[in-house]
């Protein structure tokens, strides 16, 4: 997490964006109620908000080191989809943050992308982005539609 924070601050200082919020876990966790009334906790690694020109961009960041199985990644993505469907984040910020999976290599990009393509449907198709970890700070300041989402 500290490397991600340092890269985000450096990117901000270079004039590419204004770093508004960088909340690491557990401060970035979101609690909500499932459709059956059960309590659920979404546990992203980081929540980041940046200002880019006239825009404010928000992202949940998952730092994946390749140690979690793909079924575990799928379950975590299902929690993101359940939270997205709850509408709570949209009430808080007006939009749902993109979910940025930062991974160590192309093999992992391909694996998680395959999981996401099977999972994401409809309006959630553009919710997830998978990229190599070194692209993270730049992607946090990329406006929607400029690439990266599945």
């Amino acid at each position: 997490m500290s490397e991600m924070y340092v890269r985000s601050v450096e990117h901000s200082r270079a004039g590419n964006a204004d770093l508004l919020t960088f909340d690491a876990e557990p401060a970035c966790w979101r609690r909500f109620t499932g459709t059956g009334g059960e309590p659920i906790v979404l546990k992203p690694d980081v929540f980041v908000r940046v200002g880019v020109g006239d825009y404010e961009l928000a992202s949940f960041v998952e730092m994946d080191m390749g140690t979690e199985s793909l079924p575990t990644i799928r379950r975590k993505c299902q929690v993101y989809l359940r939270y997205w469907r709850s509408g709570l984040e949209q009430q808080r910020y007006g939009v749902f943050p993109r979910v940025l999976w930062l991974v160590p290599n192309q093999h992992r990009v391909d694996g998680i992308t395959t999981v996401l393509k099977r999972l994401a449907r409809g309006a959630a198709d553009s919710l997830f982005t998978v990229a190599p970890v070194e692209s993270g700070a730049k992607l946090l300041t990329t406006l929607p539609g400029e690439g990266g989402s599945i």
Side-chain angles (χ1 to χ4, degrees):
M1 254 7 83
S2 58
E3 181 181 339
M4 180 70 189
Y5 178 74
V6 169
R7 286 183 184 197
S8 297
V9 169
E10 288 172 346
H11 201 68
S12 178
R13 287 184 181 159
N16 299 309
D18 295 315
L19 183 59
L20 305 173
T21 303
F22 191 97
D23 291 335
E25 56 185 338
C28 63
W29 292 358
R30 304 292 198 263
R31 289 166 174 69
F32 66 106
T33 304
T35 55
E38 72 280 10
I40 302 172
V41 181
L42 174 68
K43 297 180 178 182
D45 294 325
V46 177
F47 173 73
V48 180
R49 282 185 322 119
V50 296
V52 180
D54 293 334
Y55 297 94
E56 186 176 296
L57 306 174
S59 301
F60 289 119
V61 180
E62 292 289 342
M63 301 293 293
D64 175 79
M65 297 297 107
T67 57
E68 298 289 341
S69 71
L70 292 178
T72 299
I73 299 295
R74 184 180 200 289
R75 285 189 297 276
K76 188 153 195 179
C77 288
Q78 287 172 325
V79 175
Y80 274 108
L81 290 172
R82 290 176 78 181
Y83 185 56
W84 170 71
R85 288 182 189 112
S86 78
L88 293 173
E89 199 73 17
Q90 296 90 314
Q91 291 172 7
R92 185 176 185 182
Y93 291 106
V95 296
F96 194 88
R98 116 178 78 191
V99 180
L100 179 56
W101 286 90
L102 297 178
V103 301
N105 54 51
Q106 188 61 45
H107 177 71
R108 193 64 172 178
V109 168
D110 296 342
I112 293 178
T113 298
T114 298
V115 167
L116 294 174
K117 284 183 179 178
R118 292 181 185 150
L119 178 72
R121 302 263 191 286
D125 287 347
S126 62
L127 184 68
F128 300 102
T129 301
V130 184
V133 69
E134 60 271 6
S135 304
K138 184 174 190 258
L139 282 172
L140 290 173
T141 60
T142 301
L143 296 174
E146 291 184 2
S149 296
I150 66 158

